[in-house]
Amino acid sequence: MLTKQRSRRPISLQYHLVTLFLFTKSDFKTVILPQSVFALSLVFSMSSETQLFHHRPREVAFRVPYMLIWMWLHLLVEDIANQTLSSSFAEDAINKPWRPIPSGRLTITEARKLIQLVVPVALAVSILLGSFLPSTTLMTMIWLYNDLDGSSTGPLFRNLLNAAGLACFGWGAVCVLLAGDIGSSDIPRLWLLLTAALTSSTVHIQDLPDKEGDKARKRRTAPLVYGENPTRWSVVILTCFWSLVCPVFWRVSFPSALVPLVISSSMSAVVLLGKSQFCNELGWKIWCIWVTAIFLLPLLRVSSG
């Protein structure tokens, strides 16, 4: 039955482009958008430090498409690596049946051949764009998370790997925008470490809407190991904490400094008061908005003088 379905599969360019998009579809809001905001806001906030910043805003803007291509290529590597694992079938069949492999658009063998092509392309592009070190570091995180099953070893290590991977996306995006020259200032490095800490301590909110699929896959995620209520409260407390710390880091003035706290408070209400699948998914989406607002803080500092 499946063989017949594949034999009738269209082979048009549009079909293959859609297939590639479906691999990465669910991660645009969690990776591409927030990390693009992270990189752009940080780089343009650095433009006021004329003694440390040697790039014209027009030059940076010209490299934005390169940044998006770099991020999407590496996201494609991450998603194919994750979705070709044998343990992914049970999870994706429950949580995301529209993905290329469970929907029958691509076989595991075809997907593995595809990643063998995408990885060297991503590395070659990274050499050309000045982001080779972030690329190789990210590839290592992908290997640890997927091939060595780091995503299932426990909530703490899972969160650390997630945060490290996301930080590599932001790091690489900044390097692409600046053609590999991030300057001598310590602020970008400190901000990267701070946002990695923020992510590692709160990203387990993503496991609330995926708990049924994670259970089928036998993953040791925070809701399954510690229980739903401790997971919810930890996210609520820590997002509020970071909502206060990050504006202080950038010396953002009132009332702009309250924006992350308002968003995290809204997320807290959804996470604590509603425990349905809809509320779990909504809380995760608000978390993505909250992270994006945090990443905008460097620009708020500049605009508030």
Side-chain angles (χ1 to χ4, degrees):
M1 185 72 176
L2 187 58
T3 304
K4 291 181 180 179
Q5 185 180 11
R6 287 203 301 266
S7 66
R8 294 195 303 265
R9 189 174 57 197
I11 57 173
S12 66
L13 176 61
Q14 180 183 359
Y15 182 88
H16 293 309
L17 291 176
V18 171
T19 299
L20 294 177
F21 168 75
L22 289 176
F23 271 116
T24 59
K25 174 185 174 182
S26 60
D27 289 322
F28 274 84
K29 68 179 183 297
T30 59
V31 178
I32 300 293
L33 176 59
Q35 298 305 323
S36 295
V37 171
F38 171 87
L40 289 168
S41 61
L42 179 59
V43 168
F44 281 109
S45 72
M46 290 166 58
S47 64
S48 62
E49 308 288 341
T50 53
Q51 72 277 19
L52 301 173
F53 192 80
H54 311 292
H55 302 266
R56 295 178 181 179
R58 182 179 296 180
E59 295 173 352
V60 173
F62 179 78
R63 295 181 69 86
V64 169
Y66 299 152
M67 177 197 73
L68 294 174
I69 291 171
W70 185 91
M71 293 178 69
W72 184 78
L73 276 174
H74 287 77
L75 181 61
L76 184 61
V77 171
E78 154 60 24
D79 285 336
I80 297 176
N82 180 265
Q83 293 169 39
T84 52
L85 296 175
S86 58
S87 56
S88 294
F89 293 131
E91 181 183 9
D92 285 346
I94 295 171
N95 293 333
K96 300 175 180 73
W98 42 262
R99 281 179 166 174
I101 295 174
S103 66
R105 297 180 71 94
L106 211 63
T107 66
I108 284 191
T109 301
E110 290 169 337
R112 287 174 177 166
K113 289 181 179 178
L114 176 61
I115 198 173
Q116 291 172 1
L117 172 65
V118 178
V119 167
V121 169
L123 291 172
V125 168
S126 298
I127 294 174
L128 293 174
L129 297 180
S131 56
F132 185 69
L133 185 56
S135 177
T136 53
T137 306
L138 178 55
M139 296 293 183
T140 303
M141 295 301 109
I142 293 171
W143 175 65
L144 288 171
Y145 189 86
N146 295 301
D147 297 88
L148 297 189
D149 205 24
S151 62
S152 302
T153 56
L156 296 179
F157 192 57
R158 173 180 167 84
N159 278 18
L160 287 173
L161 286 177
N162 270 313
L166 290 171
C168 286
F169 276 102
W171 176 23
V174 171
C175 287
V176 172
L177 289 176
L178 299 180
D181 177 21
I182 62 173
S184 58
S185 174
D186 289 331
I187 292 179
R189 297 172 179 85
L190 291 174
W191 183 231
L192 184 65
L193 291 174
L194 185 62
T195 53
L198 172 155
T199 303
S200 66
S201 59
T202 61
V203 73
H204 51 285
I205 189 176
Q206 70 175 329
D207 298 325
L208 288 171
D210 290 342
K211 61 182 182 295
E212 293 303 323
D214 289 333
K215 186 184 298 183
R217 194 171 177 176
K218 297 181 180 179
R219 269 181 170 171
R220 299 182 69 247
T221 62
L224 298 177
V225 173
Y226 303 127
E228 282 198 33
N229 284 336
T231 298
R232 294 176 191 277
W233 276 105
S234 65
V235 170
V236 166
I237 293 170
L238 289 168
T239 52
C240 290
F241 170 76
W242 291 116
S243 295
L244 298 173
V245 170
C246 293
V248 172
F249 177 85
W250 286 108
R251 300 191 299 274
V252 178
S253 62
F254 182 87
S256 299
L258 293 179
V259 172
L261 187 60
V262 170
I263 298 174
S264 65
S265 298
S266 301
M267 184 206 69
S268 300
V270 171
V271 168
L272 292 178
L273 299 179
K275 300 186 179 180
S276 64
Q277 180 67 12
F278 172 80
C279 290
N280 289 338
E281 292 177 356
L282 180 59
W284 168 231
K285 291 176 181 178
I286 298 176
W287 182 90
C288 296
I289 296 172
W290 171 73
V291 168
T292 304
I294 291 286
F295 289 167
L296 280 169
L297 291 176
L299 286 181
L300 295 179
R301 179 202 66 161
V302 172
S303 62
S304 61

